[in-house]
Amino acid sequence: KETLASDSVISFFDERLLLWGCSIHQKEGYLLSQELRAAGFPFLALVEPGQPHPTVIDTISGFLRPQELITRISNSIAVRQAALAAVNTERDERDEARQLRQDQDREYQAALAEDQARLESQEAARRQAEEERERKEMQDAIEQSANEAVEMRRQRLIRDLPPEPPESDSVRIRIRLPAGELLER
């Protein structure tokens, strides 16, 4: 009673902690002492709120002087804060690693999509060039076939031409072509 009523303990609690007290002679106090496994009295539990249940950081049983109590609670808080800092650091490192993996995955997917688009573009260009080559070959074949047909017709006409009549029974015809060439028959 003297320890909890001392000015230094009251000041320490006011600055850092929320204090709640009860008697084990009341139902709520008795149940809580059973849950916290109080081994001796007076009993003090340093509890951190949490979900789904609070976490017991430290328990203190028996009589302590005010400075001993403040030192014990301060040490327990410091140890807990160091543990929390380590947990937070580990969580931050996991988050950073996860974020890095996600960024790398996004960059990989973007590069993969870019490569895929480039390959599709190259394939489309190759197909277009192949189609153009085939079209040109077909056009050349058609032109060659047409030229061969014209040449065959010309050869047939030359072959079917009657022989030139003797000069006495004939008429001479002169034709000037647009290119200036003069033909005579």
Side-chain angles (χ1 to χ4, degrees), residues 28-38 43 53-54 56 59:
E28 187 177 33
Y30 177 75
L31 292 174
L32 191 57
S33 72
Q34 294 299 310
E35 187 175 328
L36 295 174
R37 296 185 182 106
F43 177 79
H53 301 289
V56 177
T59 58

Side-chain angles (χ1 to χ4, degrees), residues 95-120:
D95 290 347
E96 286 176 17
R98 185 183 74 244
Q99 185 64 40
L100 178 63
R101 279 192 309 276
Q102 288 174 344
D103 291 345
Q104 288 174 338
D105 287 346
R106 264 194 303 278
E107 290 172 7
Y108 173 75
Q109 292 301 326
L112 190 62
E114 187 178 302
D115 288 347
Q116 186 67 28
R118 183 178 43 78
L119 289 174
E120 288 173 2

Side-chain angles (χ1 to χ4, degrees), residues 65-121:
R65 289 181 299 211
Q67 193 54 45
E68 290 174 328
L69 179 62
I70 291 171
T71 301
R72 175 92 182 258
I73 292 173
S74 294
N75 289 341
S76 295
I77 291 172
V79 167
R80 181 64 179 167
Q81 285 176 336
L84 286 175
V87 167
N88 288 338
T89 300
E90 184 179 319
R91 184 190 65 229
D92 291 345
E93 288 172 356
R94 277 193 318 269
D95 290 347
E96 286 176 17
R98 185 183 74 244
Q99 185 64 40
L100 178 63
R101 279 192 309 276
Q102 288 174 344
D103 291 345
Q104 288 174 338
D105 287 346
R106 264 194 303 278
E107 290 172 7
Y108 173 75
Q109 292 301 326
L112 190 62
E114 187 178 302
D115 288 347
Q116 186 67 28
R118 183 178 43 78
L119 289 174
E120 288 173 2
S121 174

Side-chain angles (χ1 to χ4, degrees), residues 144-162:
Q144 184 178 357
S145 177
N147 289 341
E148 287 173 0
V150 167
E151 183 61 29
M152 285 174 55
R153 184 166 183 245
R154 190 173 83 66
Q155 291 297 328
R156 191 181 70 235
L157 287 174
I158 289 174
R159 189 182 60 232
D160 292 345
L161 239 153

